Amino acid sequence: MAGAVCRTWQRSTLLPGLFSSLKAQISTFPILRSTQEETSVLSESERVKQERKMSSAMRLYLQRKRDHDIFISSEEAEFEMGRQHLANMMGMDHATMTQENIDESIEYLFPSGLVPEARPIMKPPKEIFPRQKEAEFDAQGRPYQTFFYTRKPDLQNRIFKLRDSIEAVTIFGERLAKQGKRADPQQVLDMGQMADSRWITKDELSSLTLELITDSDHREFVNVLERLVSLPFSYRVRDEIFSYRVSEGISLSKQTYLVPEHDEKGRAFVEFEGQRKTAWAHVRVTKPGSGGVVIKHAEHPHYLMDLGYFFALKERLAIMYPLQFTKLLGLVDLDITVKGGGVSAQAGAVRYALSMCLRSFVEKSVVDDMKINGLLTQDIRVRERKKPGKSGARKNYTWKRR
């Protein structure tokens, strides 16, 4: 009897406590939701208070940047939707559809006689609408960048990073030099590896930084880059260096071929100018032809010669090789004008100009083979200058003990 009374008393005392604990736990969920809502309301109210405290110019600047971001995001959504519709119309996959496919599709859908200026374009919004600088300071007026007060923070920040890379590469090179190790000659950024590219121009740097770049600013920027490239281990920051170089080899391969014109006899002809060292050559290729070759010097245009202008067999073979490679030997006429340099440099200039002209008369597969064989690559090698204290570019004077 006493045990039953004790168990009844325990149930009567434990159950109310259990119910009250469960009720307390359940009641915390609406409290958490109300706390989050209150936090968002407080953050919104704080943002409104901060905007009230800032100046009207700062408020207008932040509002303009916010509106621009919303506009660009909406335009990107419309561009993506239009790209999907265009891919469905052309029977293509929109995920793999490139900008070149988009341009070709628009050219196919619209009349062929339409002037290119009147043909509509479809490009990403970031390529059409001008870029706008990101917010450089917060609502309290604190600048994000440490170079904000230099008037050109983005440019100075890039120069600072390049100089930091110079210091890091120099320290790395000195450490390896103490160990008797040298840079890998296959990776050193010499003239050969950077031949098909150039440094960005002042206008390109200005559009990249969205700042007004002067000639002195651009000169200082290029000097820092050249100082970095001159280091033997500069290939460790190759990606950073080539981010400021514009590849000309890619633009050359993507450029449209020379469109043949027609003379008074109705024959198609193409003209191109080539250079090699200090030599210059102007080549005119006419098709159909009988294989005639006319060579003249710019300083003596009245003296017309054939391939015998070049005495050595090596120069003659260099000029005839592009014709033999494209199987157009005896099918075209050549009118060549040369000037400057020596006979070897003139033959190299004629070979390059002739190859560029012959691309307009062959198929694309032949053009690809010409690129592989180096016919469409200009030889940019020049004579190395003499060094002070030496008898030549690299040759030293004979050392004598006495």
Side-chain angles (χ1 to χ4, degrees), residues 360-375:
S360 303
F361 300 111
V362 296
E363 299 178 353
K364 187 178 182 303
S365 58
V366 181
V367 175
D368 296 337
D369 295 338
M370 293 174 67
K371 291 179 184 177
I372 296 174
N373 284 269
L375 292 176

Side-chain angles (χ1 to χ4, degrees), residues 107-265:
E107 185 178 358
Y108 173 78
L109 293 174
F110 282 85
S112 59
L114 197 63
V115 182
E117 290 78 7
R119 187 179 297 121
I121 59 176
M122 183 178 176
K123 293 184 178 181
K126 292 184 179 179
E127 298 182 9
I128 297 177
F129 298 100
R131 291 175 56 199
Q132 189 174 6
K133 295 194 72 171
E134 298 292 337
E136 299 180 0
F137 46 82
D138 56 9
Q140 285 79 20
R142 299 189 185 92
Y144 292 134
Q145 293 192 18
T146 56
F147 297 94
F148 176 77
Y149 296 103
T150 59
R151 298 178 59 187
K152 299 174 184 178
D154 196 359
L155 175 65
Q156 297 300 328
N157 188 31
R158 294 174 185 272
I159 294 177
F160 175 78
K161 290 181 179 179
L162 290 174
R163 288 175 175 168
D164 193 17
S165 300
I166 290 176
E167 183 178 1
V169 171
T170 303
I171 294 174
F172 180 81
E174 292 176 352
R175 186 169 66 250
L176 288 188
K178 292 179 180 179
Q179 300 176 4
K181 298 180 181 179
R182 296 182 179 181
D184 186 1
Q186 300 294 332
Q187 301 186 35
V188 173
L189 299 181
D190 53 4
M191 185 182 296
Q193 293 198 13
M194 306 181 69
D196 59 345
S197 59
R198 59 170 176 82
W199 297 119
I200 58 176
T201 61
K202 182 182 70 172
D203 297 334
E204 292 171 346
L205 182 60
S206 179
S207 61
L208 180 65
T209 59
L210 297 178
E211 296 170 352
L212 182 60
I213 306 299
T214 61
D215 293 336
S216 59
D217 295 334
H218 179 258
R219 197 179 307 113
E220 179 187 1
F221 188 76
V222 173
N223 289 338
V224 175
L225 286 169
E226 290 179 350
R227 171 67 180 132
L228 178 58
V229 172
S230 64
L231 299 176
F233 290 93
S234 59
Y235 58 85
R236 292 179 56 85
V237 290
R238 180 188 180 93
D239 295 338
E240 183 179 4
I241 293 174
F242 275 84
S243 63
Y244 300 111
R245 292 192 69 88
V246 178
S247 179
E248 294 181 340
I250 297 178
S251 61
L252 179 63
S253 62
K254 289 186 177 180
Q255 71 178 2
T256 57
Y257 295 165
L258 299 174
V259 180
E261 301 179 7
H262 295 81
D263 56 7
E264 61 278 0
K265 296 182 181 180

Side-chain angles (χ1 to χ4, degrees), residues 25-39:
Q25 292 178 6
I26 295 173
S27 62
T28 57
F29 292 104
I31 292 175
L32 286 176
R33 287 199 298 268
S34 62
T35 305
Q36 293 177 355
E37 293 174 359
E38 290 176 359
T39 304

Side-chain angles (χ1 to χ4, degrees), residues 241-390:
I241 293 174
F242 275 84
S243 63
Y244 300 111
R245 292 192 69 88
V246 178
S247 179
E248 294 181 340
I250 297 178
S251 61
L252 179 63
S253 62
K254 289 186 177 180
Q255 71 178 2
T256 57
Y257 295 165
L258 299 174
V259 180
E261 301 179 7
H262 295 81
D263 56 7
E264 61 278 0
K265 296 182 181 180
R267 299 188 304 170
F269 69 91
V270 176
E271 298 178 339
F272 195 84
E273 296 181 358
Q275 292 182 353
R276 171 75 179 98
K277 291 185 177 179
T278 58
W280 169 87
H282 177 273
V283 178
R284 173 170 174 166
V285 179
T286 306
K287 185 182 179 182
S290 58
V293 179
V294 177
I295 303 177
K296 58 185 177 181
H297 199 278
E299 297 179 358
H300 307 282
H302 302 292
Y303 296 96
L304 305 180
M305 301 185 66
D306 54 4
L307 203 58
Y309 174 86
F310 298 98
F311 297 107
L313 186 62
K314 180 181 65 175
E315 281 79 19
R316 299 182 185 182
L317 292 177
I319 295 176
M320 291 293 103
Y321 180 68
L323 296 172
Q324 296 174 349
F325 189 86
T326 56
K327 299 180 181 180
L328 291 177
L329 184 62
L331 301 179
V332 295
D333 291 337
L334 305 182
D335 188 0
I336 303 172
T337 304
V338 295
K339 180 179 65 175
V343 291
S344 179
Q346 290 178 359
V350 172
R351 171 192 171 111
Y352 175 67
L354 177 60
S355 301
M356 296 297 290
C357 291
L358 293 178
R359 337 183 274 174
S360 303
F361 300 111
V362 296
E363 299 178 353
K364 187 178 182 303
S365 58
V366 181
V367 175
D368 296 337
D369 295 338
M370 293 174 67
K371 291 179 184 177
I372 296 174
N373 284 269
L375 292 176
L376 302 181
T377 302
Q378 187 174 6
D379 190 356
I380 62 167
R381 294 177 299 172
V382 296
R383 179 181 177 87
E384 189 174 353
R385 65 179 291 272
K386 179 185 178 300
K387 307 300 188 304
K390 295 185 177 181

